[in-house]
Each structure stands twice: as C-alpha cells, then as structure tokens.
Amino acid sequence: MKRLVIKIGSNILASAEKGLDTRRLRAIAKDISEVIDAGHQVVMVSSGAVAAGLKKLGLRVKPQDIRLKQAAAAIGQSSLMWAYENSFADFNKKVAQVLLTRDDISNRLRYINAKNTLFTLMSYGVIPVINENDPVAVDEIKFGDNDMLAALTASLVEADMLIILSDVEGLYSMDPAHKGAELIKRVREITPEIEKLAGDSGSAVGTGGMFSKVLAARQAANHGIPVVIMSGKKSGLLKKLLTGNEQGTYFEPGKQRMPLKKGWIAYGVKSKGVIYLDDGAVKALTVLGRSLLPSGITKIEGDFEVGAYIRCVTKEGRKIAKGLTNYSSKDLERIKGKKTAEIEKVLGYKYSDEVIHRDNLVVI
Ligand code: GLU
C-alpha cells in the first residue's frame, strides 16, 4: 500500500469559457478509484474552483480584482465538490472537502488537527479533497499556489509519493513549444539549472505553471518524498505509473526522510525573522550538527519574540537552516557575537546557552 497525494491542476479540469469539464473530472475520478481499489490510499489536492466559478459569474478571463477571484472561488468550490461527489459515487467512493489556508499549516495545533482529520477520513475509506480556502485567504495567509499546498500536504500525511497531474507531460529540456524539446524522465537533484528549465510561466486559469511545480517537487523531494509530474489529460496513466511504468518526469527523493516535526519547521511554519551567521557558525550548523550559539551571529532582521521560527542565512543571505529561537530579536541585538558565558552579564538573565537548540533546528 502506498499513500499518495495527487494534485490536479485547474487547466485539466476547467476553463473560463467552458467552466468545469465534468467528463475529464469523471475520468480522473475513475483513474483514482482504480488506484484505491488496487489497495492504495489517496489524498487529493484539487484546483479548479476559481476557473469553475468564473464561468458562473459570466467572466471570460481571470479577474485582477481579488474580491472577484475570491467570489469565483466560493462559487466554483461547491461546483467542484458536487462534481467530485457525483463522479466518485459512480465508483462507490466517498469524498470530503478540506479547505486550508497557510495559517492552518503554520499553526502547530491546527496542523496536527488537520493531519488527524485527514487520517480519520482515510481510515473510513473517504478521499479527502483539499483546496486552498481562497474566499478568506489574503496574501499573508496564502500558499501561493496549489502545487505548494500539495507539497505541504505530502509532508503532512507522510506520503509515499506526490503526483502532480498537469496539462503537460512533464518537465522538458526546453520550452515544449520548441521542436527539439525532450521530456526529462528522471531528475536526480533539483539544481538551479533544472529550476531554470521550468521557467517562470503562469497559466490562464491556475496560478502555477511548471516553475511552481518544480519548486513544490524540490520541497517534497527534500523531505524525502518522490515526486512525479505527469499528464492529467489522458486516462489510465495513474494505474500504469503505479504498476511500474514510468510516466512524465520522476524526481528522486532526498536521501533521508525528514521527521514530521522537522518537516513542519522547514516548510510548514512561516519565519518571523532572519539571522546572518559567520562562516564558523554555518559550519557548526551544517557540518558539525551543533546548536546555534550567539557568538556566530552577525546581523538580525525582523522583530520577533522568544519562540518564533527564524531563518538562518550565510553572510551572502543564502538560507541554510530554520529553527525556534530562545531569544527575542531585541535580546539577540545585544548578545550577537558574544560568548555564551557573557549572555547573563549582558541581558541580566539567560534562558539557555543556545540561541537555537539543535532539536528545534532544521538544516535546509
Ligand atoms: N485554489 C485555486 C482554485 O481552486 C487554484 C490555485 C492554483 O491553481 O494553484 O481555483
């Protein structure tokens, strides 16, 4: 049995002119039902709400006005779920709607609650269908796109694989519109060159494009989860993939699976500030596996309290780690560059020797 997170893009399911493509949706429901009948567990992350809602609002293109987009999402989400409910019922499957915002993942208690709900649904054989709670999500609490939401979901449910169904076959060696473009079948590591291949494209009704898919793949792969980006426009491919036939582009997972708590620190929670480290501290964290001490800190950005999650960067600003700080930004301003033995003298108190303890730190 494999636990799969399957992400379905807007472009596969809907367009502003035609609304929801219920035939395609039904074909996807059939494919996913087959996968479940073969013994696998599935969590779906489905886009398409905005696109489906546009048609109902009588709009032909995605509006710039955020209120209209949110209204479209609210209208379209019920159509989307109605279509899933009906289609899956034909294959004796039940679905449940789960709407999330970035805040729900960033807040540890809600994150755990979301996880419990998803597992309860799966234990009853129900397929959770996740989407972003677009009608209430403003920029600060947005995932950005459903590819990222799918990657976070894959970590949340500790998936064995993340499958991103797209309107293209996978990642190509160059813009697929060009003649010489070839499908890349396997990506060992997502390097900056690979990211560049994906370009920075958007799509007509979704927000993603290949770039955001590759970033999501990188995140899941770093977490230790393999990722496949493949076509969601043709039937029968999921079954083929799961019976050993390569499909689309396969991204190899990182060597180690990140424990759930560390995965949440790395990708779930939002950071409230940044601290710059000297070379010694960078080495202590990344090579020697040590905790972060005040002596290696050179600069602090942001205004944060004790217990905030903060990003640790090199002097050039490259992100190397994230963790929970035992000191506020104000305290850190005063103890940066100082020896541990001096903390109490400078502040008048000491919470701990470490600014970030190893156990609360993830090297990225
Ligand atoms: N949540 C949006 C929707 O359901 C889609 C976001 C995306 O395409 O990434 O329409």
Side-chain angles (χ1 to χ4, degrees):
M1 190 274 288
K2 281 203 170 92
R3 188 175 305 131
L4 310 165
V5 170
I6 303 180
K7 189 258 169 176
I8 299 131
S10 296
N11 284 338
I12 305 172
L13 287 181
S15 64
E17 305 87 61
K18 297 199 182 129
L20 214 51
D21 180 350
T22 44
R23 275 180 57 184
R24 186 88 287 271
L25 189 140
R26 193 174 183 284
I28 288 175
K30 180 170 184 275
D31 278 358
I32 291 182
S33 298
E34 270 176 15
V35 165
I36 295 172
D37 290 339
H40 303 296
Q41 272 183 342
V42 172
V43 175
M44 289 167 63
V45 175
S46 179
S47 305
V50 174
L54 290 179
K55 168 91 192 302
K56 281 189 162 177
L57 275 175
L59 301 171
R60 296 186 70 83
V61 283
K62 197 161 78 172
Q64 290 302 321
D65 185 341
I66 181 86
R67 287 168 307 177
L68 268 181
K69 258 193 259 180
Q70 292 185 303
I75 297 168
Q77 182 64 25
S78 62
S79 306
L80 189 63
M81 284 315 295
W82 189 78
Y84 277 129
E85 182 95 39
N86 279 321
S87 299
F88 275 105
D90 291 346
F91 306 102
N92 292 319
K93 302 282 176 291
K94 298 187 194 90
V95 293
Q97 167 181 279
V98 180
L99 299 177
L100 297 172
T101 63
R102 192 75 181 70
D103 263 8
D104 299 321
I105 299 288
S106 209
N107 176 306
R108 181 115 187 115
L109 189 62
R110 268 144 71 182
Y111 177 80
I112 302 287
N113 269 331
K115 178 184 155 101
N116 289 342
T117 304
L118 294 174
F119 276 90
T120 306
L121 288 168
M122 283 189 278
S123 73
Y124 278 83
V126 178
I127 309 163
V129 183
I130 301 178
N131 197 358
E132 179 154 18
N133 196 356
D134 292 310
V136 305
V138 288
D139 264 359
E140 307 81 74
I141 60 164
K142 270 187 97 56
F143 293 102
D145 56 69
N146 273 8
D147 298 314
M148 206 34 89
L149 175 58
L152 284 164
T153 303
S155 321
L156 179 67
V157 299
E158 297 176 87
D160 297 300
M161 187 182 272
L162 167 62
I163 301 169
I164 299 181
L165 298 183
S166 165
D167 57 347
V168 289
E169 308 275 328
L171 180 67
Y172 281 84
S173 58
M174 58 175 91
D175 184 342
H178 283 92
K179 246 191 152 181
E182 274 175 42
L183 181 70
I184 299 174
K185 294 218 162 133
R186 204 175 182 93
V187 174
R188 202 144 281 150
E189 196 191 341
I190 302 177
T191 56
E193 290 74 50
I194 293 286
E195 283 168 25
K196 229 163 126 200
L197 275 185
D200 198 359
S201 55
S203 75
V205 283
T207 44
M210 191 46 76
F211 188 63
S212 79
K213 286 176 185 46
V214 168
L215 290 189
R218 185 182 69 184
Q219 179 166 316
N222 279 346
H223 204 110
I225 300 168
V227 181
V228 174
I229 299 179
M230 60 186 267
S231 168
K233 290 224 157 198
K234 294 181 199 144
S235 301
L237 300 185
L238 275 176
K239 193 170 159 190
K240 283 194 181 156
L241 172 75
L242 293 160
T243 47
N245 294 290
E246 285 181 358
Q247 299 295 325
T249 306
Y250 177 85
F251 297 80
E252 287 184 18
K255 300 239 164 8
Q256 264 178 358
R257 201 161 243 271
M258 233 184 236
L260 191 62
K261 171 93 190 277
K262 295 228 167 184
W264 177 76
I265 295 177
Y267 302 115
V269 66
K270 269 198 158 176
S271 38
K272 293 261 161 58
V274 184
I275 46 184
Y276 288 77
L277 310 181
D278 65 16
D279 294 345
V282 170
K283 187 168 169 214
L285 260 51
T286 56
V287 184
L288 306 173
R290 304 245 170 89
S291 296
L292 177 67
L293 303 177
S295 55
I297 301 176
T298 56
K299 194 169 108 185
I300 295 114
E301 274 174 13
D303 189 9
F304 49 84
E305 296 302 322
V306 177
Y309 283 88
I310 49 179
R311 221 170 335 131
C312 303
V313 301
T314 61
K315 47 182 191 290
E316 296 84 23
R318 191 166 51 84
K319 181 174 172 182
I320 53 149
K322 196 164 148 197
L324 181 136
T325 175
N326 292 325
Y327 291 93
S328 69
S329 50
K330 288 195 185 68
D331 285 353
L332 287 179
E333 280 297 348
R334 296 171 62 199
I335 58 171
K336 69 178 180 205
K338 300 250 176 341
K339 296 217 168 59
T340 302
E342 293 174 281
I343 298 178
E344 196 159 0
K345 206 165 69 200
V346 177
L347 297 180
Y349 51 83
K350 182 168 86 173
Y351 295 127
S352 68
D353 285 351
E354 309 85 14
V355 172
I356 302 178
H357 191 276
R358 187 75 215 157
D359 293 347
N360 295 320
L361 180 108
V362 184
V363 174
I364 296 161

